[in-house]
Structure formats: C-alpha cells, structure tokens
Amino acid sequence: MDFNLIVLPGDGVGPEVVDEAVKVLKAIGKRYGHNFNLNIRLVGGAAIDAEGTAVSKETLELCKKADAVLLGAVGGPKWDDPLAKVRPEDGLLEMRKSLGLFANLRPVKVFPMLVDSTNLKPEVIRGVDFIFVRELTGGLYFGKPKKRWQTEKGRMAVDSMLYSDKEIERIVRVGFELARHRQKKLISVDKANVLESSRLWRQVAIEVAKDYPDVTLEHMLVDACSMRIIQNPKYLDTLVTENTFGDILTDEASMLAGSMGMLPSASLAGVPQAGIKIFGLYEPIHGSAPRRAGQNLANPIATIMSTAMMLRYSFALEKEAKAVEKAIDDVLNEGYRTYDIMSEGKTRVGTREMGDIIAGKAGE
Ligand code: IPM
Ligand code: MG
C-alpha cells in the first residue's frame, strides 16, 4: 500500500530521532511491501528562522492532505525570549487546532528490563501499563476569553477552561473505545468538587458510559490521580482527562518509565477503531533537549514507538506496528541502551546505532 507522510524534524534532537524512525519505517516498508512517501518540512524554531512563522500555511495544507504527520520536537534557547512575537510551541498548538487533533494518546509502559533505571521502587513500577487520553484542542489552551488587561488596581489576566458537551463526549468516547480493548476500566479524571467545567465533564462521561456497558467507569479527582500515579500506578489502565490536567499528569507519569526518551504519543483527529485509518500526528513526548543535540546521544525509541502508533492508528497496519514494538523489545532484551537508560553491564550505543539495530530487526 501507499501512504503519504509529512515529516517535521523540528529543533534540537528532533532531526536526529526522526531520522532513526524513518529508517525503521523504511525497513518495515521493504519487509511488508508498503511505500511510505515522505515530504520533509519545517516546524518550530527552524520554521521561524527560515519561513518567519512556527508553521507555514503551506505546511499545514500539505498536512491536511497527508495520511499522517511525524514530528520530532520544537523549541530551544534561541527562541525563548518571553517577549518574542512568535514561539516554536505556537506551531504545535496551531497544528493541533487546525488539523482537529483532539485526542492525544500517551501510553505509559514500564519495560521489565528497565525497572532499575527509574527513581521509584521496582516493586511499585514493575508491570505498569496504562494509557492517558488527553483532550488536546480545548480547555485553558484555547478557551476565550484569554487575555491580559490593565485596571486601576493593576494588571489582570484570564484563561478560560471552556468545554462544550460535544467536545467532552468525543474525547470520552476515545477513552471508552480504548478501555474496551484493554482492561475494560476507564478512569475519568476531573476536578468536579470545584470546577463547573469538570461537573459538566463528569455528567457527560456518565451519559456516554451508557453506550459502553462492558466498561466500568470510575471518576477520580485530578489531585488524587497525581498521587495515585506515584503511589500505586499498577491500579491504572485507561484514563481520560482534559487538556491541562493531561499535560501535567503525563509529565509526571513519564517518570515511571525511567526516561522521557521511552514515551511515544499520538494526536488523533478521530476515535481509534481497529481497521479504520485516522489522520494523526505522532511525536515523542520528550522535548528538543538542545544541550544533547548534534551529539548522537538522544534516545530514538520514543519516536520509533510513535511510528508504531502511526502504523496502527493512521495506516491500520497492526501487524507492522507489532513488528516495530517487538524489535524494540528484542533490542532492549539484548542489552542495548542509550545514555538515558544506561545501567551496569549493558551496551551503550548512540542514537544512530540504536536506530540501526532496531531497523535491522524490524526489517527481518
Ligand atoms: C506537551 C507539551 C506542549 C503542551 C507544549 C510544548 C506547548 O508540553 O505536548 O505536553 O503544553 O501541550
Ligand atoms: Mg507537556
């Protein structure tokens, strides 16, 4: 089959990790007879420097026509001026909104061979395997009013945690669909004891639950959830939450896996269902790590895992997705480690070597 892919390497280590993911994709294409047509474009700081904007209209239009987008990372000290008119992150937010990428999937899986490379006790994190569904185009990030103004008493600012029942319904459905194929347990995270938007969220979640009698719905307050992630993460399976809560909780959750370099993400424009192709943007959850850039250091596994998610959700190629995941498993089992997950007795490799070994196995 033929697939059209926009590749946005971005800034910092982005280009390095994306190169390795592309290697793996090519190996899969060769093995299974698919053609992945790649169109490489700029995003973030790289786009600000070359095109004057964090993502150009042209790039957005090309993304709209493609089957999927693969992104590295955006940002860096060069573009960090708080007074700057345009920031690398604007490119990401603009893409999420204008491409309708409302569902952000962030799986957190602790690999058994990496339990010793985290800050938590091995017995707490061994076997952890859950997925966060984060709403990505609403809430405080985009709600209006969003502004600053001057009053007689001083400066004021407001952001709005705004949600419609439709927005809540479609994201909660994503949670139920995923939960249905996992442990059939969905946790909806909110702050219904204080926030009106959370009370609507909870009400809609209860309404949608009627369509999923096979899934148990539990409500969890966001503060309690942040505690549970550390205290007993094995309790968690599928979670759904609004944009800002999801942003914060997923950074926290990423620490369970030992390194941000191990966590992929998918941002989808629809509800994932087996056999159906959904447009999506795929990126590692780590940032651009400017201090590590250009040194063949960065861990490409998060980006390669994101590519597996792309094969699954945007190309409906489940077998190929599993082949990539198995290649990663095998390579870790054989003891290969980038610096961020290195431990005694293992074989330290760089970004390119890690990519080569995984691509070799994925293509076998
Ligand atoms: C993330 C990031 C982004 C967000 C930033 C870079 C705008 O933290 O994807 O979690 O806040 O959503
Ligand atoms: Mg974040």
Side-chain angles (χ1 to χ4, degrees):
M1 265 194 277
D2 267 49
F3 298 97
N4 293 319
L5 182 60
I6 304 295
V7 180
L8 306 172
D11 309 318
V13 298
E16 292 170 73
V17 292
V18 163
D19 272 354
E20 302 316 311
V22 166
K23 247 183 223 169
V24 174
L25 204 54
K26 286 192 172 148
I28 287 288
K30 206 161 161 215
R31 172 171 169 191
Y32 293 94
H34 304 301
N35 206 354
F36 301 110
N37 303 312
L38 310 180
N39 189 348
I40 301 169
R41 307 279 309 176
L42 299 174
V43 73
I48 294 176
D49 288 353
E51 299 170 340
T53 152
V55 62
S56 70
K57 288 215 162 55
E58 207 187 334
T59 300
L60 278 176
E61 287 310 311
L62 287 168
C63 289
K64 282 182 190 158
K65 287 188 219 129
D67 297 306
V69 180
L70 176 65
L71 190 141
V74 298
K78 183 174 174 198
W79 307 281
D80 255 356
D81 179 359
L83 297 174
K85 288 219 165 55
V86 47
R87 303 171 54 84
E89 291 79 5
D90 297 343
L92 206 54
L93 297 178
E94 165 100 40
M95 280 204 286
R96 288 175 181 171
K97 194 70 178 172
S98 65
L99 301 174
L101 303 169
F102 68 91
N104 184 213
L105 274 44
R106 297 187 165 182
V108 177
K109 192 172 160 183
V110 175
F111 285 83
M113 50 290 200
L114 297 181
V115 286
D116 295 319
S117 50
T118 87
N119 292 344
L120 283 107
K121 293 199 184 104
E123 63 267 27
V124 175
I125 56 154
R126 188 172 284 115
V128 162
D129 180 358
F130 60 83
I131 186 164
F132 257 104
V133 179
R134 167 189 174 194
E135 202 289 328
L136 205 58
T137 53
L140 290 172
Y141 279 60
F142 298 97
K144 300 264 171 52
K146 183 185 207 43
K147 61 174 182 177
R148 237 198 233 218
W149 71 100
Q150 186 72 44
T151 71
E152 278 162 20
K153 291 191 194 117
R155 289 167 292 175
M156 308 269 275
V158 64
D159 293 286
S160 305
M161 193 182 275
L162 181 73
Y163 274 106
S164 71
D165 54 358
K166 303 275 175 312
E167 285 176 301
I168 300 170
E169 183 190 330
R170 66 180 182 175
I171 193 69
V172 168
R173 271 189 200 284
V174 174
F176 275 109
E177 287 293 334
L178 292 179
R180 192 167 246 185
H181 297 100
R182 295 177 53 98
Q183 303 289 315
K184 301 187 189 302
K185 244 179 52 178
L186 178 65
I187 298 176
S188 169
V189 181
D190 64 34
K191 187 70 187 168
N193 53 349
V194 176
L195 302 176
E196 201 52 48
S197 56
S198 279
R199 286 192 274 269
L200 178 61
W201 183 283
R202 194 173 277 214
Q203 196 180 342
V204 173
I206 292 167
E207 288 160 12
V208 176
K210 297 202 178 81
D211 293 342
Y212 298 88
D214 51 327
V215 178
T216 315
L217 173 66
E218 177 184 339
H219 306 282
M220 197 181 277
L221 294 173
V222 61
D223 44 356
C225 183
S226 78
M227 177 197 68
R228 195 52 78 89
I229 288 171
I230 301 297
Q231 179 241 1
N232 184 14
K234 266 179 273 195
Y235 179 78
L236 311 171
D237 181 64
T238 311
L239 303 101
V240 61
T241 192
E242 71 85 44
N243 204 346
T244 305
F245 297 163
D247 178 45
I248 298 167
L249 293 175
T250 55
D251 259 28
E252 184 193 4
S254 77
M255 284 300 98
L256 303 176
S259 163
M260 283 193 128
M262 294 299 296
L263 289 192
S265 81
S267 303
L268 305 179
V271 180
Q273 275 163 329
I276 293 181
K277 300 190 187 92
I278 294 166
F279 176 78
L281 179 148
Y282 300 84
E283 57 177 322
I285 83 150
H286 64 72
S288 59
R291 279 183 301 135
R292 311 270 183 218
Q295 300 171 59
N296 195 36
L297 271 177
N299 185 350
I301 293 182
T303 315
I304 298 172
M305 283 166 77
S306 305
T307 310
M309 294 182 88
M310 172 162 68
L311 291 166
R312 175 169 294 128
Y313 297 119
S314 286
F315 303 161
L317 298 174
E318 180 62 29
K319 192 166 40 126
E320 289 81 343
K322 287 227 168 73
V324 173
E325 288 161 351
K326 179 168 185 314
I328 295 170
D329 246 13
D330 289 350
V331 166
L332 291 172
N333 272 325
E334 285 170 23
Y336 295 103
R337 303 282 188 273
T338 41
Y339 82 94
D340 55 318
I341 51 173
M342 184 61 192
S343 61
E344 218 185 303
K346 305 297 177 199
T347 314
R348 167 114 183 232
V349 293
T351 313
R352 281 191 293 277
E353 294 71 35
M354 186 57 108
D356 283 338
I357 308 169
I358 296 173
K361 294 217 181 275
E364 262 167 20

